[in-house]
């Protein structure tokens, strides 16, 4: 095998190209993906990634954004310029969550964006989504759906948190509305034409997970983007939300720049094609 390859026993494994200039990150993440049954090739720079992709076709690319020389964004642009690789899903990896950087990646064809340090069960869940049915791509970089007038329903039993988050989103051009109970949320979701829901998990009457399951069970709303907002940051809670169909997960206190990035990513995924369920 060439340097930087890990191939599971048996054929038919999905192939992933992992690109990161940090050798330790490469080894750790590649080993975890290999243990999950993926064929993994690695590259430590943008030029090396492009050379590898010219030799071999991959089902998905995990691409670090911050690399010396040719950074991840420039590498992404060049991948999208390769006619034979234009539809390969690319998930960007970054230790930073500046919304301008995330927007640039999405505009130039990234399928998703994950913030380091990586939580591997969530990385696997995102990979599985994109490998299940990659979103259709056009020949040109996409144009992000504008945030302006995007209708967002904020669901949280803490009225002060609702009003603060609504004010922050309104200042960014969104059109937020709020409810402070699960029952009211279900009524609004069933009645109103919404673009996205921000959903608190811990509510006394109907939990956020209950509402999420209801949204995904209804044919009218099953593709509605839902981002969970919660004070809990434990991995089992994150995974339960992902397994039940959440499009994102943001912990309190909310970093508005990161939330904005998650909203942009969810809206772009909706624009590109149908929501990709794990089951």
């Amino acid at each position: 095998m060439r340097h930087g390859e890990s191939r599971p026993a048996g054929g038919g494994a999905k192939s992933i190209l992992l690109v990161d200039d940090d050798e330790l990150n490469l080894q750790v993440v590649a080993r975890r993906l290999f243990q999950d049954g993926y064929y993994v090739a690695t590259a430590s720079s943008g030029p090396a990634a492009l050379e590898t992709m010219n030799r071999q076709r991959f089902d998905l690319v995990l691409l670090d954004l911050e690399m010396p020389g040719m950074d991840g964004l420039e590498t992404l642009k060049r991948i999208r310029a390769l006619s034979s690789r234009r539809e390969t899903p690319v998930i960007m990896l970054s230790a930073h969550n500046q919304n301008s950087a995330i927007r640039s990646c999405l505009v130039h064809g990234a399928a998703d964006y994950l913030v380091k340090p990586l939580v591997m069960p969530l990385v696997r869940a995102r990979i599985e989504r994109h490998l299940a049915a990659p979103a259709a791509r056009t020949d040109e970089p996409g144009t992000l759906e504008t945030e302006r007038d995007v209708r967002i329903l904020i669901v949280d039993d803490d009225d002060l948190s609702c009003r603060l988050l609504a004010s922050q989103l309104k200042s960014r051009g969104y059109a937020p509305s709020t409810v402070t109970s699960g029952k009211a949320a279900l009524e609004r979701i069933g009645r109103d034409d919404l673009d996205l829901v921000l959903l608190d998990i811990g509510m006394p009457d109907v939990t956020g997970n209950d509402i999420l399951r209801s949204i995904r069970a209804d044919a009218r709303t099953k593709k509605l983007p839902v981002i969970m907002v919660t004070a809990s940051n434990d991995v089992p809670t994150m995974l339960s939300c992902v397994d039940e169909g959440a499009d994102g997960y943001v912990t309190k206190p909310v970093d508005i720049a990161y939330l904005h990035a998650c909203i942009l990513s969810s809206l772009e995924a909706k624009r590109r094609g149908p929501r990709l369920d794990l089951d």
Side-chain angles (χ1 to χ4, degrees):
M1 292 188 296
R2 292 192 301 273
H3 176 266
E5 285 188 3
S6 299
R7 186 183 296 275
K14 293 291 187 178
S15 58
I16 295 175
L17 175 61
L18 175 62
V19 188
D20 196 323
D21 64 302
D22 187 311
E23 185 65 28
L24 181 60
N25 283 346
L26 274 182
Q27 293 179 10
V28 171
V29 178
R31 185 182 303 116
R32 296 289 297 275
L33 293 174
F34 172 74
Q35 291 170 347
D36 288 335
Y38 295 108
Y39 160 71
V40 184
T42 62
S44 57
S45 69
L50 294 171
E51 180 183 350
T52 302
M53 294 188 75
N54 277 324
R55 292 196 310 262
Q56 181 178 344
R57 182 179 296 276
F58 293 92
D59 295 303
L60 184 140
V61 178
L62 294 174
L63 176 59
D64 187 38
L65 181 59
E66 292 88 18
M67 296 187 293
M70 184 188 298
D71 65 9
L73 181 58
E74 180 59 30
T75 304
L76 173 65
K77 292 177 183 178
R78 299 196 185 193
I79 291 172
R80 289 290 168 250
L82 297 172
S83 60
S84 60
R85 303 293 183 265
R86 191 171 290 143
E87 296 185 3
T88 304
V90 178
I91 299 177
M92 305 300 293
L93 311 176
S94 175
H96 304 288
N97 58 16
Q98 297 101 330
N99 58 297
S100 58
I102 298 173
R103 170 184 282 275
S104 294
C105 291
L106 296 174
V107 165
H108 287 92
D112 212 331
Y113 190 103
L114 292 171
V115 177
K116 297 178 179 179
L118 299 176
V119 179
M120 286 308 299
L122 294 179
V123 174
R124 288 195 294 270
R126 297 289 185 91
I127 288 172
E128 289 172 11
R129 283 189 182 184
H130 292 292
L131 290 180
R137 299 184 183 278
T138 61
D139 289 350
E140 299 297 329
T143 301
L144 276 177
E145 181 178 347
T146 178
E147 306 91 26
R148 197 164 300 282
D149 298 328
V150 168
R151 296 150 298 187
I152 297 177
L153 178 65
I154 302 169
V155 184
D156 194 323
D157 62 310
D158 185 328
D159 181 60
L160 180 59
S161 294
C162 272
R163 288 189 282 118
L164 176 60
L165 187 52
S167 176
Q168 291 173 313
L169 291 175
K170 190 175 296 184
S171 70
R172 289 177 177 264
Y174 295 105
S177 57
T178 65
V179 292
T180 56
S181 73
K183 291 180 180 179
L186 290 172
E187 290 176 4
R188 289 286 303 277
I189 292 166
R191 183 189 72 218
D192 295 352
D193 186 14
L194 300 168
D195 295 301
L196 185 139
V197 176
L198 298 177
L199 183 56
D200 184 39
I201 291 180
M203 292 183 294
D205 57 342
V206 182
T207 70
N209 291 79
D210 291 334
I211 296 171
L212 177 60
R213 283 190 288 268
S214 177
I215 291 172
R216 294 294 174 242
D218 191 328
R220 298 170 300 170
T221 59
K222 66 180 300 184
K223 297 176 184 178
L224 177 66
V226 178
I227 297 174
M228 309 303 286
V229 183
T230 176
S232 175
N233 60 0
D234 65 288
V235 172
T237 301
M238 293 181 186
L239 290 178
S240 70
C241 294
V242 172
D243 289 341
E244 290 168 2
D247 296 276
Y249 187 102
V250 176
T251 56
K252 298 178 180 178
V254 173
D255 181 325
I256 192 62
Y258 181 57
L259 175 59
H260 178 56
C262 291
I263 292 171
L264 289 178
S265 179
S266 297
L267 294 176
E268 177 68 356
K270 181 182 178 183
R271 186 190 70 80
R272 287 187 181 280
R275 188 181 169 280
L276 305 177
D277 293 315
L278 290 175
D279 31 53

